[in-house]
Amino acid sequence: MEQKILEKLKMVKFGDLIHIFKFLFALLPAMFFRKKHKDLWLICDYEMEARDNPYWLFRYICKHHPEQEVVYAINYHSPDYRRVAKLGKTVPYGSLKHWIYYLAASKNISSQKGGKPNAAVCYVLEVSGLLKNTRVFLQHGIIKDDLSYLYYKNTKMRMFVCSVPREYEFVRDTYGYPKGYVQMPGLCRYDNLFPVKGKERILLVMPTWRKWIAHTVSDSVESVSSFNETEFARAWKHFLHDPRLQKILKQENMKLVFYLHRNMQKFAPHFQSLSDTATIAVWPEYDCQRLLKEAECLITDYSSVAMDFAYMRKPVLYYQFDYEQFRKGHMGEGYYDYEQDGFGPICSNENELIQALEKTASEDFCMEHQYTKRCDAFFYYHDRNYCKRNYEAIKKLK
C-alpha cells in the first residue's frame, strides 16, 4: 500500500500541487462549516457531466427529501449545469469551495472512483488513512470483470453499490470490503431505464474502450495512420462499410448510430468518413441512456451497457474479435461468462455478426427466449425504486 501511495506522489503534477494548497486552505473553514452543516451530502459524477447515477439520486433527493441538505459538484461550463441547478444547490467542481464541502460533508457520493475535488490528492489522503470520511460508490455500471483498482485496499470506500445477486456476491467475496460495506440497492439511473419509441428506428453500435489504445495512441492528426492500423479501428470500420449491413439497414428502414466509449471519443473524427452510412455520435450532443432507450438492437463487444439494454429485454449482439488481447491488456475475467451468461449471440468475426444481425432482423428485433430467461435469472429488481433504495441505504450509514 505504501508503495502505491509513493507511486501516486511521484505522479503529482503542477495542477495537483495547486489542489494541495486548496486542501490546506480548506481545512479550517471546513471544521467550522461542518458544525453548522452536520449532515451535508456532496454528490458528483464527472466534472463536466450529470447524466449518470449521481444525477438521478440528486434529482430524487431534491424532489422527495427536501429536508436532506445535498449539494452537487459540477463545472459551471458543463452542458448539464443548468439542468442540475434547477433542481438544487451546486458547487464549482475543483474549487476551494468544493474542497470545503468535500472535507465537511457527512457523505461523499459519486459514480466515479475519482469523483472528488482532485483525484490524485484525494487518493493519497483517503487510502493512506490521513482523511477519514464516509464515501459512497454509486457505480457506473454492473460489474462483471475483475477490477483490482476497485478493491477495498485501493479505495477505502464505505459503501459499494451493486445491482444483481451475482455481482454482489462476487464483489463481496473478492474485493476485500468489510462486512456490510457492499450493498445491493441497484443503479439509480435504472429508475429512468425503460424503452421509448423514437422518431427513427435505431441500430446502436457501442464498443467499449481499450487501454492499450487509449493510453498509447495520440488523437493528433499525425497519428491517424497509427490508430487506423489498430485491430479495433480496422474491425469496426470494415463492419460499418459492409454492403450487407447497408442492405439490412435499408430493408428495415433503420439508422445506425456509432457511439464510442468516453475514453475513445477522441478518436471519433477517424470515423467521420462513414457519415453517409452511420451517425458518429459524440458527447455531449448524444445522451447514452437516451440512445439505449430508443434503439431497437445493440451491438457491443464487452461493454456493460449490454446489461442496461438487456434489462429492457431488447436484443444484444456481441462482436468480440479480440477477446484474448482484451483480457490481457484491459480487464481480467470475473464471474461472467459470455457463452453461458451473455444476453445474445457472441460473434468472433464479421460474417458471424452479419448473420446474427440478419437473424435478429428476421425476428422483428425481439430478444430470443433463451436470453430472456437469462435476464429473468440475472436481474433481481425490476421496478422504479432504485433511487429510493440508495437513499435509504446511505441514510443508514453512520
Side-chain angles (χ1 to χ4, degrees):
M1 180 57 63
E2 291 78 8
Q3 182 64 32
K4 200 152 189 178
I5 292 173
L6 287 172
E7 289 174 5
K8 287 285 183 181
L9 287 171
K10 289 177 183 178
M11 295 168 63
V12 169
K13 302 173 183 176
F14 177 72
D16 300 325
L17 292 174
I18 293 175
H19 278 281
I20 291 175
F21 285 110
K22 286 183 179 180
F23 159 66
L24 294 173
F25 279 119
L27 280 171
L28 189 59
M31 290 175 60
F32 290 101
F33 190 82
R34 187 163 192 168
K35 289 180 180 179
K36 187 177 180 181
H37 305 267
K38 294 183 178 180
D39 192 25
L40 168 68
W41 293 13
L42 180 63
I43 299 181
C44 71
D45 188 5
Y46 286 104
E47 176 180 356
M48 297 298 292
E49 185 173 334
R51 304 184 184 190
D52 207 339
N53 299 308
Y55 168 75
W56 291 104
L57 179 61
F58 182 70
R59 181 176 179 271
Y60 170 83
I61 294 171
C62 291
K63 287 191 172 187
H64 299 282
H65 293 280
E67 75 282 1
Q68 175 61 57
E69 188 175 12
V70 61
V71 179
Y72 201 103
I74 187 169
N75 191 303
Y76 285 177
H77 298 292
S78 164
D80 299 330
Y81 170 72
R82 288 188 178 182
R83 181 159 45 82
V84 178
K86 285 179 181 178
L87 294 172
K89 189 174 181 180
T90 65
V91 62
Y93 199 105
S95 64
L96 177 62
K97 193 173 182 180
H98 188 186
W99 270 105
I100 293 171
Y101 279 40
Y102 169 76
L103 295 169
S106 65
K107 310 286 191 308
N108 279 281
I109 306 162
S110 178
S111 62
Q112 306 299 324
K113 183 180 171 229
K116 47 203 76 176
N118 178 270
V121 176
C122 292
Y123 175 88
V124 173
L125 291 172
E126 294 166 357
V127 177
S128 67
L130 291 173
L131 177 66
K132 298 184 185 298
N133 56 12
T134 302
R135 281 168 291 115
V136 176
F137 183 48
L138 293 181
Q139 277 229 57
H140 176 59
I142 296 176
I143 286 177
K144 53 186 171 50
D145 304 299
D146 189 8
L147 309 177
S148 60
Y149 62 88
L150 290 179
Y151 285 8
Y152 180 69
K153 65 181 181 181
N154 296 324
T155 71
K156 298 297 175 71
M157 290 182 291
R158 175 59 184 83
M159 178 176 161
F160 193 114
V161 171
C162 289
S163 302
V164 296
R166 291 187 63 197
E167 174 200 30
Y168 166 76
E169 291 163 5
F170 177 68
V171 172
R172 180 197 63 192
D173 299 341
T174 309
Y175 283 29
Y177 285 82
K179 185 178 180 180
Y181 280 36
V182 181
Q183 299 192 36
M184 198 181 76
L187 299 175
C188 292
R189 68 170 182 261
Y190 275 27
D191 276 349
N192 190 52
L193 188 62
F194 45 83
V196 297
K197 190 171 181 62
K199 295 178 181 179
E200 300 174 286
R201 299 185 70 196
I202 295 175
L203 171 62
L204 183 58
V205 181
M206 293 186 70
T208 194
W209 67 301
R210 307 293 194 274
K211 285 181 184 178
W212 66 91
I213 298 176
H215 294 167
T216 60
V217 179
S218 170
D219 58 336
S220 66
V221 176
E222 294 77 14
S223 70
V224 170
S225 59
S226 59
F227 174 73
N228 288 338
E229 288 168 4
T230 64
E231 187 179 10
F232 177 90
R234 289 200 306 268
W236 286 112
K237 283 190 175 186
H238 200 274
F239 166 67
L240 295 173
H241 274 303
D242 195 311
R244 294 171 294 176
L245 170 63
Q246 308 313 317
K247 183 180 177 181
I248 296 170
L249 293 173
K250 188 174 181 180
Q251 287 177 343
E252 299 296 328
N253 191 28
M254 296 186 82
K255 168 187 175 182
L256 188 148
V257 177
F258 185 69
Y259 197 7
L260 288 166
H261 185 277
R262 166 187 295 278
N263 294 335
M264 301 288 274
Q265 280 271 313
K266 63 182 181 179
F267 300 116
H270 296 281
F271 292 90
Q272 290 299 339
S273 62
L274 301 162
S275 57
D276 33 336
T277 58
T279 296
I280 310 303
V282 293
W283 185 89
E285 285 79 9
Y286 287 82
D287 178 80
C288 177
Q289 190 179 68
R290 185 73 189 177
L291 287 173
L292 290 169
K293 290 166 67 170
E294 292 183 355
E296 292 190 37
C297 180
L298 172 70
I299 298 176
T300 186
D301 41 20
Y302 316 98
S303 176
S304 62
V305 296
M307 296 180 172
D308 290 40
F309 207 73
Y311 178 79
M312 296 182 282
R313 305 306 193 266
K314 298 198 289 186
V316 177
L317 307 178
Y318 298 96
Y319 187 23
Q320 300 180 346
F321 51 82
D322 60 349
Y323 187 84
E324 290 185 8
Q325 186 179 14
F326 182 82
R327 286 305 182 199
K328 289 178 182 177
H330 194 90
M331 289 184 183
E333 290 187 356
Y335 66 89
Y336 194 84
D337 183 301
Y338 287 95
E339 292 287 350
Q340 301 295 321
D341 307 317
F343 303 119
I346 297 145
C347 312
S348 58
N349 59 62
E350 191 172 319
N351 285 331
E352 290 179 0
L353 179 58
I354 292 293
Q355 289 169 10
L357 183 58
E358 288 174 338
K359 185 174 185 294
T360 304
S362 71
E363 296 169 348
D364 199 26
F365 293 99
C366 292
M367 179 180 272
E368 292 182 38
H369 181 62
Q370 62 172 314
Y371 301 124
T372 59
K373 284 180 65 178
R374 290 183 185 181
C375 289
D376 293 341
F378 186 76
F379 294 104
Y380 186 76
Y381 303 113
H382 207 284
D383 56 27
R384 303 285 291 278
N385 295 315
Y386 289 89
C387 288
K388 182 175 184 289
R389 281 189 293 271
N390 274 270
Y391 171 78
E392 291 174 351
I394 296 169
K395 193 72 177 173
K396 289 177 182 176
L397 296 177
K398 295 181 179 178

